[in-house]
């Protein structure tokens, strides 16, 4: 299972001048099991803050995050995360990075290498098993990061602009791969991006946020069949609609 | 890169040439211009002094005694410095608490501790070890601490997301390996500083043997050729430490950095 419910989340930070910067305001959202949700918004709209709270890395001022009926307090092995920057441990080989979570869980060496090997296969990087992250390209590193997050078999996978630093070709390729992995593993995915194209390509639902204070502006249901064609007329129309909305927010700012 | 180049692209044959050239010039100045071995013994004088010292076998006892002093000092410095550095780097409150004290003690030259070393430990190997300890503990603390301070937050958060949540585990599995290059650099500096403290630490007669002790002994006998032998030995052993340390650490612990642009 991977049903996520976010209830009335609020967060604000104190500014240097004593005023408060409201980052999230009365944010409520339900994400269904096995759903692929993209959160979209211009920078500073609080989308990363929201994701970090779901991950348990930050605490909300008020509100609650409930995963499969359980309130989340702090990081949990039920939630995997792929970060924006390169977060692989550079002192560990690819296989030892993927096996890290299992090692922390106390899984025996042989078993954790067997499981990690499966996820290595899943991201098509078996030949790089014993390489160090510094020997991999940016795209490969993020694929390892996906495998590492999946190795603990979480019900919810959080992704914070994971492909943001990659070139367009690699990015498109990884989006395709991610969808294949998602089909196979059927996790609930919350994916943050500020690429409208990426969101329309990946998501079941796109959640557009307004900046400061961060609120949900509109939710787009994308029911185009996968694999989606970027040149498709409907695809282009959706992309334009989402982009228009985001441009409005930016103009208001 | 040619056949005679090392990994940095430097041609090692040029280095050997420089050393040979220096020996030839030294020989020329000593034997032809100065011609007074007390002021400057020639390489040939040094070589014959070395051979006769080898025959007595004392050299090995000196090396052994110095290594014991050094091991006491550096061992203690590692034992104290690394945990201190870790706690300082991990805990802001402890850092605020202890940092001023360290900054006050650190500028005191290690050799200024000699009087207390003698009073506290007497004329023993521990006295010499203590001076070496004072010289080498600060680079270890400072580098361990700054290494821990500089652990990227994203590694800690990635660790937490993967079930590594206890402080002890985070230090062991995330922060320590991430800080290791800095810790290793600190130990390397400490090895160099500690070795430099050795001569002075043995100067006040903590033992009958020791490279520094013998250097002073032969100076008092005005046997300057033997003094040069001990100078060269001190240099060579210091160099050997550094090379072995670097080779070992890079091979076994920092292999992952080979592909990185530092």
């Amino acid at each position: 299972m991977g049903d996520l419910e976010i209830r009335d989340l609020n967060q604000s930070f104190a500014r240097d001048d004593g005023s408060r910067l409201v980052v999230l305001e009365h944010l409520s959202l339900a994400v269904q099991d096995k759903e692929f949700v993209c959160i979209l918004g211009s920078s500073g709209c609080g989308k990363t803050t929201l994701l970090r709270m779901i991950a348990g890395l930050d605490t909300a001022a008020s509100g609650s995050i409930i995963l499969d009926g359980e309130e989340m307090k702090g990081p949990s092995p039920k939630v995997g995360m792929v970060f924006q920057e390169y977060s692989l441990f550079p002192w560990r080989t690819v296989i030892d990075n993927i096996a890290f979570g299992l090692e922390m869980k106390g899984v025996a060496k042989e078993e954790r290498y067997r499981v990690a090997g499966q996820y290595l296969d899943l991201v098509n990087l078996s030949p790089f098993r014993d390489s160090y992250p510094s020997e991999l390209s940016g795209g490969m590193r993020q694929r390892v990061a996906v495998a590492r997050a999946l190795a603990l078999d979480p019900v919810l996978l959080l992704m914070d602009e994971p492909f943001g630093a990659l070139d367009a070709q690699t990015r498109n390729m990884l989006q395709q791969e991610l969808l294949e992995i998602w089909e196979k593993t059927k996790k609930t995915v919350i994916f943050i991006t500020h690429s409208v194209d990426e969101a329309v390509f990946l998501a079941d639902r796109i959640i557009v946020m307004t900046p400061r204070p961060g609120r949900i502006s509109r939710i787009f249901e994308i029911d185009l069949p996968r694999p989606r064609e970027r040149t498709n007329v409907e695809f282009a129309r959706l992309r334009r609609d989402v982009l228009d909305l985001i441009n409005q927010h930016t103009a208001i700012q | 890169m040619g056949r005679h180049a090392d990994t940095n692209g430097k041609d090692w044959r040029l280095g050997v040439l420089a050393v040979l050239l220096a020996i030839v010039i030294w020989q020329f100045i000593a034997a032809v211009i100065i011609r007074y071995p007390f002021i400057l013994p020639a390489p040939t004088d040094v070589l014959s002094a070395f051979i006769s010292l080898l025959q007595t076998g004392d050299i090995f006892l000196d090396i052994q005694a110095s290594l014991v002093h050094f091991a006491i000092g550096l061992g203690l410095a590692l034992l104290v410095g690394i945990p201190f550095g870790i706690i300082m780097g991990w805990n802001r409150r402890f850092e605020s608490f202890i940092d001023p004290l360290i900054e006050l003690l650190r500028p005191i030259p290690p050799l200024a501790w000699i009087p207390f070393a003698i009073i506290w430990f007497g004329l023993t190997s521990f006295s010499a070890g203590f001076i070496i300890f004072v010289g080498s503990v600060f680079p270890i603390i400072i580098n361990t601490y700054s290494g821990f301070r500089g652990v990227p937050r994203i590694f800690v958060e990635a660790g937490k997301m993967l079930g590594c949540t206890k402080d002890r585990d985070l230090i062991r599995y995330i922060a320590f390996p991430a800080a290791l290059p800095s810790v290793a650099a600190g130990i390397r500096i400490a090895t160099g500083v500690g070795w430099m403290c050795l001569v002075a630490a043995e100067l006040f007669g903590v033992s009958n043997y020791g490279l520094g002790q013998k250097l002073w002994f032969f100076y008092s006998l005005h046997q300057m050729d033997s003094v040069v032998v001990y100078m060269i030995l001190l240099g060579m052993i210091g160099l050997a430490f550094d090379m072995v340390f670097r080779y070992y650490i890079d091979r076994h612990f920092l292999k992952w950095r080979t592909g990185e642009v530092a």
Side-chain angles (χ1 to χ4, degrees):
Chain A
M1 287 293 282
D3 278 312
L4 181 75
E5 210 189 323
I6 296 166
R7 283 188 205 146
D8 197 25
L9 214 56
N10 289 284
Q11 179 71 317
S12 58
F13 297 114
R15 279 211 191 93
D16 286 339
D17 60 10
S19 65
R20 293 200 78 78
L21 172 69
V22 180
V23 188
L24 296 176
E25 197 174 58
H26 302 304
L27 194 135
S28 296
L29 173 71
V31 179
Q32 279 168 20
D33 185 35
K34 301 180 179 57
E35 196 179 7
F36 199 125
V37 168
C38 278
I39 298 179
L40 201 61
S42 49
S43 12
C45 72
K47 53 192 192 301
T48 294
T49 308
L50 173 63
L51 200 76
R52 291 177 57 84
M53 285 174 183
I54 302 172
L57 293 170
D58 286 338
T59 332
S62 69
S64 52
I65 295 163
I66 293 150
L67 181 64
D68 292 335
E70 244 179 88
E71 180 154 5
M72 303 292 291
K73 292 187 189 316
S76 150
K78 289 172 78 179
V79 180
M81 173 116 164
V82 179
F83 292 86
Q84 179 178 11
E85 315 142 63
Y86 298 136
S87 65
L88 295 181
F89 305 132
W91 58 90
R92 284 178 167 249
T93 58
V94 165
I95 191 80
D96 279 326
N97 261 284
I98 301 175
F100 183 84
L102 298 161
E103 193 179 330
M104 292 303 112
K105 239 172 89 182
V107 176
K109 197 168 191 169
E110 221 167 279
E111 173 66 5
R112 66 176 188 253
Y113 280 153
R114 191 187 63 76
V115 175
Q118 287 174 354
Y119 286 97
L120 189 62
D121 269 345
L122 188 69
V123 296
N124 302 316
L125 283 175
S126 296
F128 296 93
R129 190 192 141 95
D130 297 314
S131 304
Y132 284 97
S134 60
E135 298 166 299
L136 305 182
S137 70
M140 289 173 172
R141 288 185 205 183
Q142 289 305 67
R143 277 148 73 189
V144 176
V146 170
R148 184 176 69 174
L150 290 174
L152 279 177
D153 200 23
V155 291
L156 173 63
L157 184 63
L158 305 174
M159 305 184 82
D160 185 9
E161 295 188 45
F163 308 148
L166 306 176
D167 64 85
Q169 278 78 23
T170 313
R171 193 172 180 156
N172 286 354
M173 202 173 75
L174 286 194
Q175 288 166 4
Q176 188 53 50
E177 269 188 44
L178 176 64
L179 285 179
E180 285 163 19
I181 289 168
W182 174 68
E183 303 277 353
K184 281 185 210 160
T185 58
K186 280 295 175 194
K187 309 285 178 194
T188 308
V189 179
I190 300 180
F191 187 108
I192 283 185
T193 178
H194 49 222
S195 158
V196 174
D197 178 78
E198 186 164 68
V200 177
F201 186 78
L202 293 173
D204 291 324
R205 271 196 302 161
I206 297 177
I207 292 158
V208 179
M209 286 178 66
T210 59
R212 282 177 200 148
R215 265 184 279 200
I216 293 174
S217 160
R218 210 178 128 185
I219 296 177
F220 289 85
E221 305 269 349
I222 315 287
D223 41 21
L224 296 176
R226 296 187 179 90
R228 292 172 185 163
E229 274 295 330
R230 288 189 154 84
T231 47
N232 177 298
V233 179
E234 184 66 4
F235 191 99
R237 191 188 60 76
L238 272 163
R239 196 165 51 187
R240 198 188 54 222
D241 289 353
V242 177
L243 199 59
D244 281 348
L245 182 65
I246 288 178
N247 284 340
Q248 278 174 34
H249 294 321
T250 323
I252 292 163
Q253 272 230 304
Chain B
M1 257 191 263
R3 211 152 41 89
H4 301 291
D6 67 11
T7 44
N8 297 319
K10 281 192 289 189
D11 190 339
W12 56 265
R13 290 173 307 170
L14 285 175
V16 173
L17 184 70
V19 173
L20 290 176
L21 214 62
I23 293 174
V24 169
I25 294 171
W26 172 16
Q27 178 75 35
F28 178 78
I29 295 174
V32 180
I33 300 176
I34 296 180
R35 292 196 292 181
Y36 185 24
F38 180 64
I39 299 292
L40 183 66
T44 45
D45 301 332
V46 174
L47 190 68
S48 61
F50 178 58
I51 290 166
S52 58
L53 283 167
L54 269 184
Q55 279 161 352
T56 67
D58 278 5
I59 272 187
F60 301 106
L61 293 172
D62 293 325
I63 292 175
Q64 197 190 342
S66 286
L67 288 182
V68 167
H69 298 157
F70 189 62
I72 293 172
L74 192 68
L76 223 58
L78 289 170
L79 232 56
V80 172
I82 290 181
F84 244 74
I86 290 176
I87 302 170
M88 275 177 76
W90 198 250
N91 187 318
R92 284 254 157 172
R93 283 178 66 80
F94 187 73
E95 180 203 356
S96 315
F97 173 70
I98 210 78
D99 193 48
L101 188 63
I102 285 180
E103 289 308 313
L104 279 173
L105 289 175
R106 194 162 68 104
I108 301 173
L111 308 188
W113 288 90
I114 288 176
F116 275 109
I118 297 172
I119 288 172
W120 290 341
F121 303 102
L123 292 177
T124 64
S125 295
F126 286 97
S127 220
F130 179 71
I131 299 305
I132 293 161
F133 164 79
V134 174
S136 50
V137 75
F138 292 109
I140 294 176
I141 292 180
I142 303 292
N143 274 271
T144 305
Y145 153 71
S146 70
F148 269 73
R149 188 63 345 141
V151 172
R153 198 175 67 152
I154 188 145
F155 292 155
V156 175
E157 292 186 341
K160 283 183 179 168
M161 291 311 296
L162 294 163
C164 184
T165 45
K166 277 184 261 162
D167 269 348
R168 207 192 51 183
D169 288 343
L170 284 168
I171 288 173
R172 176 169 166 203
Y173 292 104
I174 309 281
F176 193 75
L180 194 59
S182 179
V183 176
I187 297 174
R188 215 181 130 206
I189 297 168
T191 310
V193 176
W195 193 246
M196 284 179 199
C197 291
L198 185 84
V199 176
E202 289 177 352
L203 188 155
F204 51 92
V206 293
S207 55
N208 295 323
Y209 292 100
L211 296 167
Q213 190 272 337
K214 276 296 156 58
L215 191 135
W216 281 97
F217 173 75
F218 285 114
Y219 163 68
S220 63
L221 296 182
H222 287 198
Q223 287 184 22
M224 299 311 285
D225 45 4
S226 297
V227 170
V228 175
V229 169
Y230 279 91
M231 285 171 67
I232 292 174
L233 270 177
L234 279 160
M236 299 278 255
I237 295 173
L239 176 71
F241 273 143
D242 198 54
M243 282 171 67
V244 168
F245 181 79
R246 243 160 76 177
Y247 182 80
Y248 182 77
I249 291 289
D250 286 354
R251 261 298 171 88
H252 293 273
F253 297 108
L254 299 177
K255 211 163 54 174
W256 53 276
R257 293 187 88 203
T258 45
E260 274 184 2
V261 184

